[in-house]
Structure formats: structure tokens, C-alpha cells
Amino acid sequence: MISFDHVTKRYGGFTALDGVSFEARPGRVTGFLGPNGAGKSTAMRVAAGLTPATSGRATVLGRPYGTLPNPGRHVGMLLDASAQHAGRTGREVLTLGAILTGVDRRRVEETLDLVGLTEKEAGRRVRNYSLGMRQRLGIAHALLADPEVLVLDEPANGLDPAGIRWMRDLLRGYAARGGTVLLSSHLLNEIERVADDIVVIGHGRIVAGGTTRELLAGSGTTVRSADDARLRSALGTAGLSASPLAAGGLLVDATPEVVGAVALEAAVVLRELRSGDGRGLEEMFFDLTADAAREEVAA
């Protein structure tokens, strides 16, 4: 169990986390989503005891991380895959981790095999690892003590499609055995496929949270047309509420049949018309974080 109870973190006049409260529960994968700069990494660092909260409390297994006896035996962390000693081999990195946490050294070979690092790769210096290999090594380090809790920040970075599928199966199996997973990722399709629960953060505040099924259930009708402004006006005239979607189109508080009839009467060509159910995580994410996302400007 990971619990945030009204956690606030300020850096001078900047508030990185503003009263953040949520839980990641045992036996479930919790997807932690938000635009760059929304507060995801800060929250994870607070949970790991690396960044003190200004107020509020974050606990892991019922206590602050730093008060856990030998915390590395209970909590596996991957916050930055590049934060590994470049001069050591992959095997040396894991062996040192095993010594520091008191884990049987035989676990090193088991974990290397689990994450798919070959004998040759395990003997290579980390400075010569690809990003994907560093990610696998970081996940191996997090799993070394077979902990009860995993906190993973962007663990899929650099993994190829086969590696992403492997990680998905790994996390599902881990949660099925009763483990707690808090997973941050920009790969929204993967979060949708692996997460049982989703927490969305924007501008340091939680903007949505619940089971994946609940959040993606939606309601009403999603419609896209050749002229959304004209269609919205026609829907308004018909007494129907229509809200613009960040990804384009409208979410209408009515059935698809009613929306289609209004569009036909207004002679607006429809490009998409479907129940709001199953809008998809990407669409929900952009709707919830539209005012928090950064726009990239081409030079």
C-alpha cells in the first residue's frame, strides 16, 4: 500500500504538489499520469523519502519510507534508470544491491534472467548499455529483494515492443501475487492495458482518480463532424448540452440516435458518432489536462 495524505511540496514560491491525496493498493497496478511538470516525479520522490513534503504525509506499507526497517527489502524503486554507476557491470550493480539489502546473491542471477539480460550483457559495463538495457537493469534492481511494493517512473523508456509487452506481463503477474505497483508512464495505451486504477495529476493537483473501467466508462455521445461549431449550435438549439473535446469533436449529453438526428436536420456531415463509453485513455487524459499540458513550439 502507498498512501498520500494531503501532501504539499513547495520550492520557494512554486508549489509542485498541492494537497495530493490518493492510494495505490495491494494486488493492483496504479497508473500515475500527468503532463511534464505536473508533479509525478516529485510525488514519487516524496514517497521514496528523497524529497521531504512541506506538509501532509506519504507512507509506504503504513509508514514513512525512511522508517521502514531495511526499506530496500520491502520497496523496489526505479526513479531514474541513468542513475547507475557507469563503471560497474550490470552484475556488479545487482551484487552490490544484494549485499546492501542482505539478499541471497543467488537472487542476482535469477533477476538477470527474469529481465532478459544475457550472460554477456550482465558482464558489460553500464556505460556501454543501451537505454533499454539500463531500463532492464533498473527493473532488475527494483525486483532484487522480491519486494512488496514497486514504484516505477517511466520504466518503459527505451524498451522495444517486445520489451514493453514483457514488462506488461511482469507487472500483471507481480500484482496478481499481491504486490502493489505505482507506475508512471507517457505510454498511455500501455497504461490503459496494464493499470487497474488510474490517478491523473495536473499543476500539482489530482484531477481524476478511480478504476480504469470507471474513468473510461464516460457517458453521452462522442461526435466529430465537418463543422463542429455549426453542429454545436444546432445541438444547443435542440436543448442539448455539448462540450468540446481537447482532441477535437464534441461530447454530447444525449444518445447517438438523437445526435445523429440533429446533425441530419442541420445538414452537418458526421465523421464519427459513437457512445461516450470507452472513449480511451488518451482522449480522457487530454480532456483532463488540457490546461496543464505544455505546447511545443517549432523553431
Side-chain angles (χ1 to χ4, degrees):
M1 169 79 80
I2 301 172
S3 178
F4 286 79
D5 184 10
H6 296 92
V7 173
T8 294
K9 177 60 184 178
R10 296 189 183 91
Y11 296 95
F14 174 70
T15 301
L17 299 175
D18 189 359
V20 167
S21 295
F22 71 90
E23 291 183 345
R25 295 175 286 165
R28 303 180 72 83
V29 177
T30 299
F32 192 30
L33 306 179
N36 289 337
K40 300 187 305 298
S41 294
T42 300
M44 288 183 155
R45 289 179 60 84
V46 169
L50 298 173
T51 298
T54 304
S55 63
R57 191 167 185 253
T59 60
V60 183
L61 298 172
R63 348 176 19 167
Y65 178 84
T67 68
L68 290 169
N70 196 354
R73 294 293 296 266
H74 305 284
V75 186
M77 298 270 185
L78 174 59
L79 300 183
D80 184 358
S82 65
Q84 300 168 7
H85 196 297
R88 294 194 178 105
T89 67
R91 181 177 285 104
E92 288 170 347
V93 168
L94 295 183
T95 300
L96 181 58
I99 292 171
L100 291 174
T101 55
V103 173
D104 190 320
R105 294 196 194 184
R106 287 176 295 185
R107 180 66 179 163
V108 171
E109 299 306 321
E110 293 173 3
T111 311
L112 285 168
D113 184 61
L114 178 63
V115 303
L117 287 174
T118 66
E119 180 75 17
K120 183 177 180 181
E121 291 167 340
R124 192 180 301 172
R125 302 290 174 187
V126 172
R127 69 167 59 93
N128 297 318
Y129 275 19
S130 66
L131 176 58
M133 291 171 63
R134 286 175 184 255
Q135 290 294 111
R136 288 178 182 266
L137 180 61
I139 294 170
H141 199 281
L143 293 170
L144 188 60
D146 194 19
E148 301 159 68
V149 174
L150 284 179
V151 179
L152 307 175
D153 193 2
E154 300 291 347
N157 280 355
L159 295 181
D160 59 19
I164 292 173
R165 181 174 182 178
W166 159 80
M167 188 188 69
R168 184 197 316 150
D169 293 341
L170 175 76
L171 296 181
R172 279 178 174 165
Y174 179 88
R177 295 190 300 274
T180 299
V181 181
L182 180 60
L183 170 67
S184 165
S185 178
H186 285 105
L187 300 179
L188 300 182
N189 289 337
E190 280 308 307
I191 289 288
E192 185 171 351
R193 296 177 76 173
V194 75
D196 301 294
D197 304 306
I198 292 175
V199 176
V200 185
I201 189 171
H203 290 310
R205 297 181 178 180
I206 303 301
V207 296
T211 68
T212 304
R213 181 175 304 223
E214 289 170 347
L215 290 178
L216 299 186
S219 61
T221 294
T222 295
V223 58
R224 290 182 173 83
S225 72
D227 190 341
D228 286 346
R230 183 177 165 194
L231 177 58
R232 188 181 185 191
S233 176
L235 290 164
T237 300
L240 301 176
S241 173
S243 304
L245 296 170
L250 304 169
L251 182 62
V252 187
D253 188 15
T255 66
E257 291 80 7
V258 171
V259 174
V262 172
L264 178 63
E265 180 69 22
V268 177
V269 176
L270 298 185
R271 293 174 174 163
E272 181 179 359
L273 179 67
R274 58 183 170 84
S275 170
D277 291 346
R279 287 191 297 154
L281 182 57
E282 183 176 274
E283 190 169 312
M284 183 206 74
F285 175 82
F286 287 127
D287 288 345
L288 290 171
T289 63
D291 66 337
R294 296 180 179 179
E295 293 185 2
E296 300 296 333
V297 180

